[in-house]
Amino acid sequence: MKCSDYQKLISDRLDGSLPPAGQRILEAHLKTCQACHLYEQELKTIEVKLRKLPTAEPENLAALEDGLRERLIRVEAESKVRQNKSQLTKLAPVWAAGLFLVMAAFYLLFFNRPPIKDQNLDLATLMSFEDSYLTLTQTINGDGSLQERYNEEILNSIFEEVEDLNTEGFENIEDYGERIINNNNEKYLLTENI
Amino acid sequence: MMDKEQELLLINRARRGEVEAFMTLIRTYQAPIYRLIYRLTGNREDAADLTQETMLKAYTGLKNFKARSRFNTWLHRIAVNETLNFLDKMSREKGKIEYLDEIKPADPVLAMVATPEEISIEEEFKTELEQALAELPANYKLAITLVVFQGLSHSEAAEVLGCSEGTVSWKIHEARKMLRERMRPYLGRVKEV
C-alpha cells in the first residue's frame, strides 16, 4: 500500500467508517510514517474547525411551517377535486353510451316513421301505369282471342283506381263533380290511345 | 427524533391526507434540511424556499416512499435533488460563481469580517475554510456536507446520492485533500487540536 492509500483510510476513520481491521493496518503505518502522521494531524485540525463553522438556522421556523401548512392544505384540496374529476372521467364511456341510447330512441320515435304514401297521383303517373299494363297486354296478346277481354279488364281496373284516387279527400260536392268530369275525359283519352 | 414505529404511523396518516400528521413528521427534519440546503446554496432565502419545496415534494411523493430506506435519508435525497436542480438552473441563468459571489456579502457570518486588523487568526482560518468549502466542486461538497454536517453514514450518503459507498468515501477523501491544500498556509498558525 502507498501513502495515498493510507491517507484515504485516515479520511474514512474520521467519518467512523473504517472497520477494525483497517484501523489496525493504519495504526501500524502511522507509527512508522511521519508524513502520514502529519497528514492525519492536519486533517484533524481542519475537521474540528469544519465542524465548528457556524450553521445557518432558519430565521423564522414558525413562519416556514405556517407557509408549508397552507400550501399542503391547498394541495390536499386540489387533489380531492382531481380525484372527483377523475371519477367522472372514468364514467365518461357510460355517460356517452347512455346519451347515445337516448338519442337513438328519440330518433326512432319521432323521425323514423314509414313515409306516407302520396295519393295525389297526376295524369303522367297514371299514364306510366297504363304503359306498364299495355306492355303486359302486348305480351299476353300472343293469343289474339283474349286481347279484347284483357284490354277491357285492364282499363276497368285503371278507371277504378283513377276514380278512387281522385275522389279521396273531397268534402265539397262541386269539387267532386268537377273531378268526375275530368276523370271521364281522362278515360276517353286512355281508350282513344288503345 | 421519533422512533421508527411512530414515524411509520405518521407516514400512513399523512398518506391518507392528514396535513397535521405530516407537519409533526417533518418537524424534527426541517432545520437540518434547511442547514444542508444553506450549505449548498449559501443563501438564506433560497434555503427557506427550497426547504419548503422539499417538504412539499415529500408530501406529494409520500405514496412512493417504500420505507425500505429511512425517512430521513429519503428526505435528504429530495432536498439534494431540489437543490442541485436549483443550482443548475441558476448556473445556466447567471453562472454559478457569479451567483455565489453576489450572495456572499449578504451572509451575516462573513459580514462580521470587517478589516484585516480586526480579524483574529482563528476567524481568518474560519473564513478561509468557509470559502474553501464553498469553492469545492459541487459533488465533493455535497458528499462532505452530507457526512460531516448532516451526520449521515457513508452508506446513507450513498443512498442519497445514488452511488456506491466507495464513491462517497473517495469523494470525501478528495474533498479533504483539497481543503488541506487550501488551508496549508494557515495550518501552522492555528492552535493544534
Side-chain angles (χ1 to χ4, degrees), chain B residues 1-36:
Chain B
M1 282 282 173
M2 63 188 77
D3 60 57
K4 198 158 181 166
E5 204 177 312
Q6 199 185 352
E7 199 172 84
L8 273 174
L9 202 74
L10 287 171
I11 288 169
N12 286 333
R13 281 174 56 197
R15 274 179 179 149
R16 289 196 294 269
E18 280 187 47
V19 170
E20 279 313 313
F22 184 77
M23 293 306 294
T24 312
L25 178 68
I26 54 120
R27 197 152 288 140
T28 48
Y29 298 115
Q30 272 205 117
I33 291 291
Y34 175 90
R35 285 195 289 266
L36 164 71

PDB file of all heavy atoms in Angstrom, chain B residues 1-36:
ATOM      1  N   MET B   1     -35.812  13.069  17.993  1.00  0.00           N
ATOM      2  CA  MET B   1     -36.079  12.059  16.942  1.00  0.00           C
ATOM      3  C   MET B   1     -37.123  11.055  17.436  1.00  0.00           C
ATOM      4  O   MET B   1     -37.026  10.579  18.577  1.00  0.00           O
ATOM      5  CB  MET B   1     -34.790  11.301  16.590  1.00  0.00           C
ATOM      6  CG  MET B   1     -33.856  12.077  15.701  1.00  0.00           C
ATOM      7  SD  MET B   1     -34.375  12.064  13.988  1.00  0.00           S
ATOM      8  CE  MET B   1     -33.188  13.224  13.302  1.00  0.00           C
ATOM      9  N   MET B   2     -38.063  10.768  16.583  1.00  0.00           N
ATOM     10  CA  MET B   2     -39.096   9.803  16.972  1.00  0.00           C
ATOM     11  C   MET B   2     -38.667   8.395  16.561  1.00  0.00           C
ATOM     12  O   MET B   2     -37.798   8.239  15.694  1.00  0.00           O
ATOM     13  CB  MET B   2     -40.421  10.185  16.326  1.00  0.00           C
ATOM     14  CG  MET B   2     -40.405  10.149  14.828  1.00  0.00           C
ATOM     15  SD  MET B   2     -41.897  10.808  14.127  1.00  0.00           S
ATOM     16  CE  MET B   2     -41.644  12.564  14.327  1.00  0.00           C
ATOM     17  N   ASP B   3     -39.282   7.395  17.205  1.00  0.00           N
ATOM     18  CA  ASP B   3     -38.901   6.032  16.817  1.00  0.00           C
ATOM     19  C   ASP B   3     -39.558   5.649  15.492  1.00  0.00           C
ATOM     20  O   ASP B   3     -40.506   6.308  15.031  1.00  0.00           O
ATOM     21  CB  ASP B   3     -39.217   5.021  17.922  1.00  0.00           C
ATOM     22  CG  ASP B   3     -40.697   4.994  18.255  1.00  0.00           C
ATOM     23  OD1 ASP B   3     -41.493   4.745  17.343  1.00  0.00           O
ATOM     24  OD2 ASP B   3     -41.043   5.235  19.429  1.00  0.00           O
ATOM     25  N   LYS B   4     -39.064   4.554  14.935  1.00  0.00           N
ATOM     26  CA  LYS B   4     -39.478   4.160  13.584  1.00  0.00           C
ATOM     27  C   LYS B   4     -40.970   3.831  13.492  1.00  0.00           C
ATOM     28  O   LYS B   4     -41.631   4.152  12.505  1.00  0.00           O
ATOM     29  CB  LYS B   4     -38.636   2.956  13.132  1.00  0.00           C
ATOM     30  CG  LYS B   4     -38.704   2.788  11.630  1.00  0.00           C
ATOM     31  CD  LYS B   4     -37.560   2.021  11.082  1.00  0.00           C
ATOM     32  CE  LYS B   4     -37.781   1.961   9.572  1.00  0.00           C
ATOM     33  NZ  LYS B   4     -36.689   1.546   8.834  1.00  0.00           N
ATOM     34  N   GLU B   5     -41.477   3.209  14.572  1.00  0.00           N
ATOM     35  CA  GLU B   5     -42.892   2.815  14.587  1.00  0.00           C
ATOM     36  C   GLU B   5     -43.796   4.054  14.537  1.00  0.00           C
ATOM     37  O   GLU B   5     -44.746   4.122  13.770  1.00  0.00           O
ATOM     38  CB  GLU B   5     -43.159   2.012  15.860  1.00  0.00           C
ATOM     39  CG  GLU B   5     -44.368   1.086  15.733  1.00  0.00           C
ATOM     40  CD  GLU B   5     -44.533   0.258  16.996  1.00  0.00           C
ATOM     41  OE1 GLU B   5     -43.545  -0.312  17.463  1.00  0.00           O
ATOM     42  OE2 GLU B   5     -45.651   0.225  17.502  1.00  0.00           O
ATOM     43  N   GLN B   6     -43.432   5.022  15.373  1.00  0.00           N
ATOM     44  CA  GLN B   6     -44.196   6.271  15.429  1.00  0.00           C
ATOM     45  C   GLN B   6     -44.117   6.997  14.080  1.00  0.00           C
ATOM     46  O   GLN B   6     -45.101   7.558  13.598  1.00  0.00           O
ATOM     47  CB  GLN B   6     -43.608   7.137  16.542  1.00  0.00           C
ATOM     48  CG  GLN B   6     -44.549   8.228  17.026  1.00  0.00           C
ATOM     49  CD  GLN B   6     -43.865   9.127  18.050  1.00  0.00           C
ATOM     50  OE1 GLN B   6     -42.745   8.849  18.501  1.00  0.00           O
ATOM     51  NE2 GLN B   6     -44.529  10.202  18.404  1.00  0.00           N
ATOM     52  N   GLU B   7     -42.919   6.936  13.499  1.00  0.00           N
ATOM     53  CA  GLU B   7     -42.693   7.574  12.203  1.00  0.00           C
ATOM     54  C   GLU B   7     -43.579   6.944  11.125  1.00  0.00           C
ATOM     55  O   GLU B   7     -44.223   7.653  10.352  1.00  0.00           O
ATOM     56  CB  GLU B   7     -41.216   7.423  11.831  1.00  0.00           C
ATOM     57  CG  GLU B   7     -40.756   8.392  10.771  1.00  0.00           C
ATOM     58  CD  GLU B   7     -39.243   8.329  10.594  1.00  0.00           C
ATOM     59  OE1 GLU B   7     -38.769   7.449   9.852  1.00  0.00           O
ATOM     60  OE2 GLU B   7     -38.560   9.157  11.190  1.00  0.00           O
ATOM     61  N   LEU B   8     -43.641   5.620  11.119  1.00  0.00           N
ATOM     62  CA  LEU B   8     -44.466   4.917  10.122  1.00  0.00           C
ATOM     63  C   LEU B   8     -45.950   5.234  10.288  1.00  0.00           C
ATOM     64  O   LEU B   8     -46.693   5.363   9.314  1.00  0.00           O
ATOM     65  CB  LEU B   8     -44.253   3.402  10.224  1.00  0.00           C
ATOM     66  CG  LEU B   8     -43.089   2.846   9.414  1.00  0.00           C
ATOM     67  CD1 LEU B   8     -42.895   1.374   9.705  1.00  0.00           C
ATOM     68  CD2 LEU B   8     -43.323   3.047   7.910  1.00  0.00           C
ATOM     69  N   LEU B   9     -46.354   5.354  11.553  1.00  0.00           N
ATOM     70  CA  LEU B   9     -47.745   5.693  11.856  1.00  0.00           C
ATOM     71  C   LEU B   9     -48.099   7.065  11.260  1.00  0.00           C
ATOM     72  O   LEU B   9     -49.130   7.230  10.599  1.00  0.00           O
ATOM     73  CB  LEU B   9     -47.919   5.702  13.376  1.00  0.00           C
ATOM     74  CG  LEU B   9     -49.335   5.518  13.896  1.00  0.00           C
ATOM     75  CD1 LEU B   9     -49.746   4.061  13.736  1.00  0.00           C
ATOM     76  CD2 LEU B   9     -49.396   5.912  15.376  1.00  0.00           C
ATOM     77  N   LEU B  10     -47.181   8.009  11.483  1.00  0.00           N
ATOM     78  CA  LEU B  10     -47.401   9.369  10.963  1.00  0.00           C
ATOM     79  C   LEU B  10     -47.378   9.371   9.432  1.00  0.00           C
ATOM     80  O   LEU B  10     -48.158  10.070   8.781  1.00  0.00           O
ATOM     81  CB  LEU B  10     -46.334  10.323  11.500  1.00  0.00           C
ATOM     82  CG  LEU B  10     -46.478  10.706  12.981  1.00  0.00           C
ATOM     83  CD1 LEU B  10     -45.253  11.463  13.458  1.00  0.00           C
ATOM     84  CD2 LEU B  10     -47.729  11.561  13.198  1.00  0.00           C
ATOM     85  N   ILE B  11     -46.484   8.565   8.858  1.00  0.00           N
ATOM     86  CA  ILE B  11     -46.386   8.483   7.396  1.00  0.00           C
ATOM     87  C   ILE B  11     -47.719   7.970   6.820  1.00  0.00           C
ATOM     88  O   ILE B  11     -48.256   8.527   5.860  1.00  0.00           O
ATOM     89  CB  ILE B  11     -45.215   7.566   6.969  1.00  0.00           C
ATOM     90  CG1 ILE B  11     -43.882   8.267   7.246  1.00  0.00           C
ATOM     91  CG2 ILE B  11     -45.293   7.197   5.489  1.00  0.00           C
ATOM     92  CD1 ILE B  11     -42.661   7.384   7.118  1.00  0.00           C
ATOM     93  N   ASN B  12     -48.268   6.927   7.442  1.00  0.00           N
ATOM     94  CA  ASN B  12     -49.533   6.367   6.947  1.00  0.00           C
ATOM     95  C   ASN B  12     -50.679   7.361   7.076  1.00  0.00           C
ATOM     96  O   ASN B  12     -51.530   7.458   6.183  1.00  0.00           O
ATOM     97  CB  ASN B  12     -49.865   5.068   7.690  1.00  0.00           C
ATOM     98  CG  ASN B  12     -48.984   3.934   7.216  1.00  0.00           C
ATOM     99  OD1 ASN B  12     -48.513   3.933   6.077  1.00  0.00           O
ATOM    100  ND2 ASN B  12     -48.708   2.988   8.085  1.00  0.00           N
ATOM    101  N   ARG B  13     -50.682   8.093   8.197  1.00  0.00           N
ATOM    102  CA  ARG B  13     -51.737   9.111   8.365  1.00  0.00           C
ATOM    103  C   ARG B  13     -51.584  10.219   7.334  1.00  0.00           C
ATOM    104  O   ARG B  13     -52.564  10.691   6.763  1.00  0.00           O
ATOM    105  CB  ARG B  13     -51.682   9.678   9.781  1.00  0.00           C
ATOM    106  CG  ARG B  13     -52.333   8.727  10.804  1.00  0.00           C
ATOM    107  CD  ARG B  13     -52.139   9.240  12.216  1.00  0.00           C
ATOM    108  NE  ARG B  13     -52.655  10.588  12.394  1.00  0.00           N
ATOM    109  CZ  ARG B  13     -52.327  11.380  13.422  1.00  0.00           C
ATOM    110  NH1 ARG B  13     -51.495  10.958  14.345  1.00  0.00           N
ATOM    111  NH2 ARG B  13     -52.832  12.591  13.504  1.00  0.00           N
ATOM    112  N   ALA B  14     -50.342  10.634   7.094  1.00  0.00           N
ATOM    113  CA  ALA B  14     -50.086  11.692   6.104  1.00  0.00           C
ATOM    114  C   ALA B  14     -50.464  11.213   4.705  1.00  0.00           C
ATOM    115  O   ALA B  14     -50.976  11.986   3.894  1.00  0.00           O
ATOM    116  CB  ALA B  14     -48.611  12.094   6.146  1.00  0.00           C
ATOM    117  N   ARG B  15     -50.244   9.935   4.431  1.00  0.00           N
ATOM    118  CA  ARG B  15     -50.619   9.377   3.123  1.00  0.00           C
ATOM    119  C   ARG B  15     -52.125   9.473   2.893  1.00  0.00           C
ATOM    120  O   ARG B  15     -52.581   9.573   1.761  1.00  0.00           O
ATOM    121  CB  ARG B  15     -50.209   7.908   3.042  1.00  0.00           C
ATOM    122  CG  ARG B  15     -48.792   7.696   2.595  1.00  0.00           C
ATOM    123  CD  ARG B  15     -48.487   6.228   2.569  1.00  0.00           C
ATOM    124  NE  ARG B  15     -47.142   5.958   2.119  1.00  0.00           N
ATOM    125  CZ  ARG B  15     -46.420   4.930   2.522  1.00  0.00           C
ATOM    126  NH1 ARG B  15     -46.918   4.060   3.377  1.00  0.00           N
ATOM    127  NH2 ARG B  15     -45.207   4.745   2.054  1.00  0.00           N
ATOM    128  N   ARG B  16     -52.873   9.387   3.978  1.00  0.00           N
ATOM    129  CA  ARG B  16     -54.338   9.476   3.857  1.00  0.00           C
ATOM    130  C   ARG B  16     -54.815  10.929   3.770  1.00  0.00           C
ATOM    131  O   ARG B  16     -56.007  11.186   3.725  1.00  0.00           O
ATOM    132  CB  ARG B  16     -54.988   8.773   5.052  1.00  0.00           C
ATOM    133  CG  ARG B  16     -54.854   7.248   5.010  1.00  0.00           C
ATOM    134  CD  ARG B  16     -55.835   6.593   5.975  1.00  0.00           C
ATOM    135  NE  ARG B  16     -55.519   6.902   7.366  1.00  0.00           N
ATOM    136  CZ  ARG B  16     -54.714   6.151   8.142  1.00  0.00           C
ATOM    137  NH1 ARG B  16     -54.178   5.068   7.662  1.00  0.00           N
ATOM    138  NH2 ARG B  16     -54.472   6.492   9.391  1.00  0.00           N
ATOM    139  N   GLY B  17     -53.860  11.857   3.777  1.00  0.00           N
ATOM    140  CA  GLY B  17     -54.215  13.260   3.576  1.00  0.00           C
ATOM    141  C   GLY B  17     -54.273  14.079   4.851  1.00  0.00           C
ATOM    142  O   GLY B  17     -54.805  15.191   4.857  1.00  0.00           O
ATOM    143  N   GLU B  18     -53.716  13.556   5.954  1.00  0.00           N
ATOM    144  CA  GLU B  18     -53.714  14.326   7.212  1.00  0.00           C
ATOM    145  C   GLU B  18     -52.501  15.251   7.235  1.00  0.00           C
ATOM    146  O   GLU B  18     -51.372  14.813   7.493  1.00  0.00           O
ATOM    147  CB  GLU B  18     -53.676  13.379   8.412  1.00  0.00           C
ATOM    148  CG  GLU B  18     -55.015  12.779   8.757  1.00  0.00           C
ATOM    149  CD  GLU B  18     -54.955  11.974  10.050  1.00  0.00           C
ATOM    150  OE1 GLU B  18     -54.401  12.461  11.049  1.00  0.00           O
ATOM    151  OE2 GLU B  18     -55.447  10.831  10.027  1.00  0.00           O
ATOM    152  N   VAL B  19     -52.752  16.518   6.948  1.00  0.00           N
ATOM    153  CA  VAL B  19     -51.669  17.501   6.864  1.00  0.00           C
ATOM    154  C   VAL B  19     -50.936  17.637   8.199  1.00  0.00           C
ATOM    155  O   VAL B  19     -49.704  17.699   8.234  1.00  0.00           O
ATOM    156  CB  VAL B  19     -52.234  18.859   6.384  1.00  0.00           C
ATOM    157  CG1 VAL B  19     -51.200  19.958   6.506  1.00  0.00           C
ATOM    158  CG2 VAL B  19     -52.711  18.753   4.939  1.00  0.00           C
ATOM    159  N   GLU B  20     -51.692  17.643   9.295  1.00  0.00           N
ATOM    160  CA  GLU B  20     -51.063  17.829  10.611  1.00  0.00           C
ATOM    161  C   GLU B  20     -50.117  16.671  10.958  1.00  0.00           C
ATOM    162  O   GLU B  20     -49.094  16.870  11.607  1.00  0.00           O
ATOM    163  CB  GLU B  20     -52.121  18.009  11.705  1.00  0.00           C
ATOM    164  CG  GLU B  20     -52.676  19.427  11.774  1.00  0.00           C
ATOM    165  CD  GLU B  20     -51.615  20.533  11.736  1.00  0.00           C
ATOM    166  OE1 GLU B  20     -50.614  20.444  12.474  1.00  0.00           O
ATOM    167  OE2 GLU B  20     -51.780  21.482  10.940  1.00  0.00           O
ATOM    168  N   ALA B  21     -50.479  15.470  10.532  1.00  0.00           N
ATOM    169  CA  ALA B  21     -49.605  14.317  10.780  1.00  0.00           C
ATOM    170  C   ALA B  21     -48.277  14.514  10.055  1.00  0.00           C
ATOM    171  O   ALA B  21     -47.202  14.226  10.594  1.00  0.00           O
ATOM    172  CB  ALA B  21     -50.282  13.040  10.295  1.00  0.00           C
ATOM    173  N   PHE B  22     -48.359  15.040   8.840  1.00  0.00           N
ATOM    174  CA  PHE B  22     -47.133  15.291   8.069  1.00  0.00           C
ATOM    175  C   PHE B  22     -46.294  16.389   8.739  1.00  0.00           C
ATOM    176  O   PHE B  22     -45.067  16.299   8.802  1.00  0.00           O
ATOM    177  CB  PHE B  22     -47.478  15.676   6.629  1.00  0.00           C
ATOM    178  CG  PHE B  22     -46.284  15.862   5.758  1.00  0.00           C
ATOM    179  CD1 PHE B  22     -45.585  14.766   5.264  1.00  0.00           C
ATOM    180  CD2 PHE B  22     -45.823  17.134   5.442  1.00  0.00           C
ATOM    181  CE1 PHE B  22     -44.463  14.931   4.474  1.00  0.00           C
ATOM    182  CE2 PHE B  22     -44.706  17.308   4.639  1.00  0.00           C
ATOM    183  CZ  PHE B  22     -44.028  16.202   4.160  1.00  0.00           C
ATOM    184  N   MET B  23     -46.973  17.427   9.232  1.00  0.00           N
ATOM    185  CA  MET B  23     -46.255  18.521   9.892  1.00  0.00           C
ATOM    186  C   MET B  23     -45.499  18.004  11.128  1.00  0.00           C
ATOM    187  O   MET B  23     -44.370  18.410  11.376  1.00  0.00           O
ATOM    188  CB  MET B  23     -47.233  19.640  10.307  1.00  0.00           C
ATOM    189  CG  MET B  23     -47.868  20.382   9.146  1.00  0.00           C
ATOM    190  SD  MET B  23     -46.728  21.079   7.941  1.00  0.00           S
ATOM    191  CE  MET B  23     -45.892  22.321   8.890  1.00  0.00           C
ATOM    192  N   THR B  24     -46.129  17.097  11.861  1.00  0.00           N
ATOM    193  CA  THR B  24     -45.457  16.506  13.031  1.00  0.00           C
ATOM    194  C   THR B  24     -44.259  15.673  12.571  1.00  0.00           C
ATOM    195  O   THR B  24     -43.189  15.705  13.189  1.00  0.00           O
ATOM    196  CB  THR B  24     -46.443  15.595  13.803  1.00  0.00           C
ATOM    197  OG1 THR B  24     -47.662  16.313  13.981  1.00  0.00           O
ATOM    198  CG2 THR B  24     -45.887  15.165  15.141  1.00  0.00           C
ATOM    199  N   LEU B  25     -44.468  14.939  11.494  1.00  0.00           N
ATOM    200  CA  LEU B  25     -43.421  14.063  10.963  1.00  0.00           C
ATOM    201  C   LEU B  25     -42.160  14.834  10.570  1.00  0.00           C
ATOM    202  O   LEU B  25     -41.040  14.419  10.851  1.00  0.00           O
ATOM    203  CB  LEU B  25     -43.983  13.310   9.747  1.00  0.00           C
ATOM    204  CG  LEU B  25     -43.071  12.364   8.982  1.00  0.00           C
ATOM    205  CD1 LEU B  25     -42.729  11.149   9.825  1.00  0.00           C
ATOM    206  CD2 LEU B  25     -43.741  11.903   7.686  1.00  0.00           C
ATOM    207  N   ILE B  26     -42.359  15.973   9.922  1.00  0.00           N
ATOM    208  CA  ILE B  26     -41.184  16.690   9.383  1.00  0.00           C
ATOM    209  C   ILE B  26     -40.601  17.725  10.350  1.00  0.00           C
ATOM    210  O   ILE B  26     -39.560  18.300  10.064  1.00  0.00           O
ATOM    211  CB  ILE B  26     -41.520  17.375   8.025  1.00  0.00           C
ATOM    212  CG1 ILE B  26     -42.744  18.273   8.126  1.00  0.00           C
ATOM    213  CG2 ILE B  26     -41.701  16.331   6.937  1.00  0.00           C
ATOM    214  CD1 ILE B  26     -42.467  19.670   7.789  1.00  0.00           C
ATOM    215  N   ARG B  27     -41.303  17.945  11.464  1.00  0.00           N
ATOM    216  CA  ARG B  27     -40.856  18.995  12.381  1.00  0.00           C
ATOM    217  C   ARG B  27     -39.378  18.845  12.768  1.00  0.00           C
ATOM    218  O   ARG B  27     -38.634  19.818  12.762  1.00  0.00           O
ATOM    219  CB  ARG B  27     -41.743  19.008  13.628  1.00  0.00           C
ATOM    220  CG  ARG B  27     -41.634  20.300  14.427  1.00  0.00           C
ATOM    221  CD  ARG B  27     -42.915  20.590  15.181  1.00  0.00           C
ATOM    222  NE  ARG B  27     -43.995  20.997  14.297  1.00  0.00           N
ATOM    223  CZ  ARG B  27     -45.264  20.596  14.446  1.00  0.00           C
ATOM    224  NH1 ARG B  27     -45.591  19.782  15.407  1.00  0.00           N
ATOM    225  NH2 ARG B  27     -46.194  21.031  13.613  1.00  0.00           N
ATOM    226  N   THR B  28     -38.951  17.640  13.059  1.00  0.00           N
ATOM    227  CA  THR B  28     -37.561  17.443  13.502  1.00  0.00           C
ATOM    228  C   THR B  28     -36.565  17.523  12.340  1.00  0.00           C
ATOM    229  O   THR B  28     -35.374  17.657  12.560  1.00  0.00           O
ATOM    230  CB  THR B  28     -37.393  16.078  14.200  1.00  0.00           C
ATOM    231  OG1 THR B  28     -38.005  15.094  13.382  1.00  0.00           O
ATOM    232  CG2 THR B  28     -38.009  16.067  15.571  1.00  0.00           C
ATOM    233  N   TYR B  29     -37.080  17.402  11.118  1.00  0.00           N
ATOM    234  CA  TYR B  29     -36.159  17.364   9.974  1.00  0.00           C
ATOM    235  C   TYR B  29     -35.996  18.720   9.279  1.00  0.00           C
ATOM    236  O   TYR B  29     -35.107  18.904   8.476  1.00  0.00           O
ATOM    237  CB  TYR B  29     -36.647  16.347   8.932  1.00  0.00           C
ATOM    238  CG  TYR B  29     -36.704  14.935   9.475  1.00  0.00           C
ATOM    239  CD1 TYR B  29     -37.914  14.268   9.605  1.00  0.00           C
ATOM    240  CD2 TYR B  29     -35.544  14.277   9.852  1.00  0.00           C
ATOM    241  CE1 TYR B  29     -37.964  12.980  10.108  1.00  0.00           C
ATOM    242  CE2 TYR B  29     -35.588  12.985  10.351  1.00  0.00           C
ATOM    243  CZ  TYR B  29     -36.806  12.343  10.477  1.00  0.00           C
ATOM    244  OH  TYR B  29     -36.844  11.075  10.972  1.00  0.00           O
ATOM    245  N   GLN B  30     -36.915  19.631   9.593  1.00  0.00           N
ATOM    246  CA  GLN B  30     -36.895  20.912   8.862  1.00  0.00           C
ATOM    247  C   GLN B  30     -35.579  21.675   8.992  1.00  0.00           C
ATOM    248  O   GLN B  30     -35.006  22.096   7.993  1.00  0.00           O
ATOM    249  CB  GLN B  30     -38.055  21.794   9.326  1.00  0.00           C
ATOM    250  CG  GLN B  30     -39.314  21.540   8.555  1.00  0.00           C
ATOM    251  CD  GLN B  30     -40.230  22.743   8.547  1.00  0.00           C
ATOM    252  OE1 GLN B  30     -40.495  23.302   7.506  1.00  0.00           O
ATOM    253  NE2 GLN B  30     -40.695  23.124   9.703  1.00  0.00           N
ATOM    254  N   ALA B  31     -35.131  21.831  10.245  1.00  0.00           N
ATOM    255  CA  ALA B  31     -33.899  22.614  10.469  1.00  0.00           C
ATOM    256  C   ALA B  31     -32.669  21.938   9.835  1.00  0.00           C
ATOM    257  O   ALA B  31     -31.899  22.614   9.134  1.00  0.00           O
ATOM    258  CB  ALA B  31     -33.694  22.869  11.961  1.00  0.00           C
ATOM    259  N   PRO B  32     -32.468  20.623  10.020  1.00  0.00           N
ATOM    260  CA  PRO B  32     -31.298  20.001   9.358  1.00  0.00           C
ATOM    261  C   PRO B  32     -31.344  20.109   7.838  1.00  0.00           C
ATOM    262  O   PRO B  32     -30.307  20.325   7.202  1.00  0.00           O
ATOM    263  CB  PRO B  32     -31.390  18.517   9.779  1.00  0.00           C
ATOM    264  CG  PRO B  32     -32.211  18.497  11.002  1.00  0.00           C
ATOM    265  CD  PRO B  32     -33.146  19.647  10.903  1.00  0.00           C
ATOM    266  N   ILE B  33     -32.546  19.981   7.265  1.00  0.00           N
ATOM    267  CA  ILE B  33     -32.668  20.092   5.797  1.00  0.00           C
ATOM    268  C   ILE B  33     -32.341  21.525   5.361  1.00  0.00           C
ATOM    269  O   ILE B  33     -31.656  21.743   4.361  1.00  0.00           O
ATOM    270  CB  ILE B  33     -34.086  19.675   5.335  1.00  0.00           C
ATOM    271  CG1 ILE B  33     -34.301  18.161   5.541  1.00  0.00           C
ATOM    272  CG2 ILE B  33     -34.355  20.062   3.888  1.00  0.00           C
ATOM    273  CD1 ILE B  33     -33.498  17.251   4.632  1.00  0.00           C
ATOM    274  N   TYR B  34     -32.819  22.478   6.157  1.00  0.00           N
ATOM    275  CA  TYR B  34     -32.517  23.886   5.861  1.00  0.00           C
ATOM    276  C   TYR B  34     -31.002  24.111   5.881  1.00  0.00           C
ATOM    277  O   TYR B  34     -30.445  24.743   4.990  1.00  0.00           O
ATOM    278  CB  TYR B  34     -33.210  24.788   6.896  1.00  0.00           C
ATOM    279  CG  TYR B  34     -32.875  26.247   6.768  1.00  0.00           C
ATOM    280  CD1 TYR B  34     -33.642  27.090   5.965  1.00  0.00           C
ATOM    281  CD2 TYR B  34     -31.771  26.798   7.438  1.00  0.00           C
ATOM    282  CE1 TYR B  34     -33.318  28.433   5.838  1.00  0.00           C
ATOM    283  CE2 TYR B  34     -31.457  28.136   7.321  1.00  0.00           C
ATOM    284  CZ  TYR B  34     -32.232  28.948   6.524  1.00  0.00           C
ATOM    285  OH  TYR B  34     -31.915  30.269   6.393  1.00  0.00           O
ATOM    286  N   ARG B  35     -30.344  23.556   6.907  1.00  0.00           N
ATOM    287  CA  ARG B  35     -28.885  23.739   7.027  1.00  0.00           C
ATOM    288  C   ARG B  35     -28.150  23.115   5.838  1.00  0.00           C
ATOM    289  O   ARG B  35     -27.215  23.695   5.298  1.00  0.00           O
ATOM    290  CB  ARG B  35     -28.378  23.115   8.339  1.00  0.00           C
ATOM    291  CG  ARG B  35     -28.727  23.939   9.551  1.00  0.00           C
ATOM    292  CD  ARG B  35     -27.909  23.507  10.758  1.00  0.00           C
ATOM    293  NE  ARG B  35     -28.314  22.217  11.267  1.00  0.00           N
ATOM    294  CZ  ARG B  35     -29.205  22.040  12.251  1.00  0.00           C
ATOM    295  NH1 ARG B  35     -29.785  23.081  12.805  1.00  0.00           N
ATOM    296  NH2 ARG B  35     -29.521  20.839  12.659  1.00  0.00           N
ATOM    297  N   LEU B  36     -28.596  21.942   5.426  1.00  0.00           N
ATOM    298  CA  LEU B  36     -27.966  21.283   4.272  1.00  0.00           C
ATOM    299  C   LEU B  36     -28.099  22.168   3.026  1.00  0.00           C
ATOM    300  O   LEU B  36     -27.107  22.404   2.320  1.00  0.00           O
ATOM    301  CB  LEU B  36     -28.658  19.928   4.011  1.00  0.00           C
ATOM    302  CG  LEU B  36     -28.400  19.280   2.654  1.00  0.00           C
ATOM    303  CD1 LEU B  36     -26.974  18.754   2.557  1.00  0.00           C
ATOM    304  CD2 LEU B  36     -29.375  18.135   2.389  1.00  0.00           C
TER     305      LEU B  36
END
